């Protein structure tokens, strides 16, 4: 009976409270690594694609009517990405399929390009422009040191969708933050027991983003239909034209 009591006690300790007792840096690492493996050039992990859906809770400069918009992101290494959400203050879908980009509703983006041209803010396209493969922002050899780039603090726990989630407050290490032009970044992430994100709030002075994740999945690849444009109201852009659009957006701000 004494052995049985010890066994039950150990099982309880290994249950819901085990996640709460885990080292905060280990939790952050387990949260980030599946995403990093998708983007890493050299990895043995078979999952080279991801898809997530989330609800936009708050985003600075986004019209109030777009709050609560569903955000969908699909990414496949090395050069495919599809994003649906509030972009440029509009509900848009932007998809990169290798060296081609399409946008829908295309009429809204065409109007932006026409306005930029009328205001003489549309630079000439560079015929040699290319869309580069996705890559991580730090050298892959330094991934082993990834946790030391951040300061991580416990912020307790909170229930999200009925799951007890660990809350972590994350900031960049001071020396790294000094090297960046944009300073004052911070994030709070709610981590599910399976180490997937439940909610994320990112802030910097004068700006805030808050999203609640509905699902996050990883796979070797996504269906080809993911990258196919709809039949109507689509603007097709090659690499030079897409970079021209990006420059026009920057000048509008």
């Amino acid at each position: 009976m004494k052995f049985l009591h010890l066994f039950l006690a150990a099982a309880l300790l290994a249950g819901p409270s085990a996640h709460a007792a885990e080292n905060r840096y280990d939790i952050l690492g387990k949260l980030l690594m599946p995403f990093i493996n998708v983007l890493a050039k050299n990895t043995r992990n078979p999952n080279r694609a991801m898809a997530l859906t989330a609800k936009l809770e708050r985003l600075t400069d986004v019209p109030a009517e777009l709050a609560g918009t569903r955000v969908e992101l699909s990414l496949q290494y090395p050069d495919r990405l599809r994003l649906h959400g509030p972009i440029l203050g509009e509900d848009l879908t932007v998809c990169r399929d290798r060296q081609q980009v399409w946008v829908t509703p295309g009429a809204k983006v065409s109007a932006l390009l026409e306005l930029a041209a009328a205001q003489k803010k549309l630079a000439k396209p560079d015929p040699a422009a290319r869309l580069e493969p996705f890559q991580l922002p730090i050298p892959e050899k330094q991934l082993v040191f990834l946790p030391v780039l951040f300061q991580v603090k416990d912020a307790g726990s909170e229930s999200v969708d009925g799951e007890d989630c660990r809350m972590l407050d994350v900031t960049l290490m001071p020396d790294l933050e000094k090297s960046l032009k944009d300073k004052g970044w911070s994030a709070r992430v709610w981590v599910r027991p399976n180490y997937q994100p439940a909610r994320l709030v990112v802030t910097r002075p004068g700006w805030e983003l808050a999203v609640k994740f509905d699902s996050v999945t990883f796979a070797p690849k996504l269906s080809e239909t993911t990258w196919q444009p709809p039949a109507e109201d689509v603007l097709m852009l090659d690499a030079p034209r897409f970079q021209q659009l990006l420059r026009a957006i920057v000048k509008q701000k």
Side-chain angles (χ1 to χ4, degrees):
M1 289 297 297
K2 186 179 293 187
F3 174 80
L4 179 59
H5 291 161
L6 291 173
F7 178 83
L8 291 174
L12 289 172
L13 290 173
S17 62
H19 186 269
E22 191 170 2
N23 181 278
R24 58 192 183 278
Y25 286 93
D26 290 340
I27 291 177
L28 181 64
K30 291 176 181 179
L31 170 73
L32 293 177
M33 283 311 298
F35 296 93
I36 290 172
N37 282 328
V38 170
L39 292 171
K41 183 178 180 180
N42 301 304
T43 179
R44 294 180 181 179
N45 193 296
N47 292 330
R48 306 317 313 269
M50 57 161 285
L52 66 82
T53 60
K55 183 178 76 172
L56 180 69
E57 296 182 325
R58 296 185 303 280
L59 177 58
T60 303
D61 297 330
V62 164
E65 60 268 22
L66 290 179
T69 298
R70 183 181 178 88
V71 177
E72 300 175 353
L73 173 65
S74 300
L75 184 149
Q76 185 169 301
Y77 185 85
D79 52 13
R80 285 175 147 181
L81 180 144
R82 176 174 174 154
L83 173 64
H84 171 81
I87 305 168
L88 305 177
E90 303 281 355
D91 192 24
L92 298 176
T93 299
V94 180
C95 180
R96 174 190 174 180
D97 185 7
R98 301 185 173 96
Q99 290 299 311
Q100 290 288 324
V101 176
W102 57 261
V103 185
T104 187
K108 294 181 179 180
V109 180
S110 294
L112 174 63
L113 288 170
E114 291 171 3
L115 177 62
Q119 296 176 343
K120 297 183 179 180
K121 295 181 179 180
L122 195 63
K124 291 183 178 180
D126 179 3
R130 297 278 297 172
L131 300 178
E132 297 297 325
F134 304 133
Q135 60 181 358
L136 294 168
I138 62 173
E140 293 186 19
K141 291 182 179 179
Q142 297 181 14
L143 289 178
V144 66
F145 304 112
L146 184 64
V148 303
L149 300 179
F150 302 100
Q151 294 184 114
V152 184
K153 296 181 180 179
D154 276 307
S157 62
E158 188 172 272
S159 178
V160 179
D161 298 330
E163 290 186 295
D164 189 29
C165 297
R166 181 91 167 259
M167 293 189 296
L168 302 177
D169 286 337
V170 182
T171 56
L172 294 173
M173 291 296 289
D175 289 344
L176 179 59
E177 186 180 33
K178 288 180 182 178
S179 67
L180 300 177
K181 294 181 180 179
D182 290 329
K183 298 181 179 180
W185 289 90
S186 64
R188 171 169 286 187
V189 59
W190 285 251
V191 187
R192 299 185 190 274
N194 64 356
Y195 304 104
Q196 288 193 353
R199 179 177 279 119
L200 174 67
V201 177
V202 181
T203 62
R204 66 176 172 82
W207 186 87
E208 182 183 39
L209 165 69
V211 294
K212 176 181 174 295
F213 294 91
D214 296 323
S215 66
V216 181
T217 59
F218 301 93
K221 65 179 182 179
L222 301 177
S223 169
E224 285 297 313
T225 59
T226 305
W227 322 111
Q228 295 174 2
E232 298 179 353
D233 199 6
V234 179
L235 177 65
M236 304 297 297
L237 302 166
D238 58 12
R241 187 70 167 164
F242 180 64
Q243 291 196 356
Q244 188 184 38
L245 172 63
L246 292 181
R247 295 191 188 101
I249 293 171
V250 171
K251 289 184 179 180
Q252 288 285 343
K253 295 183 177 182

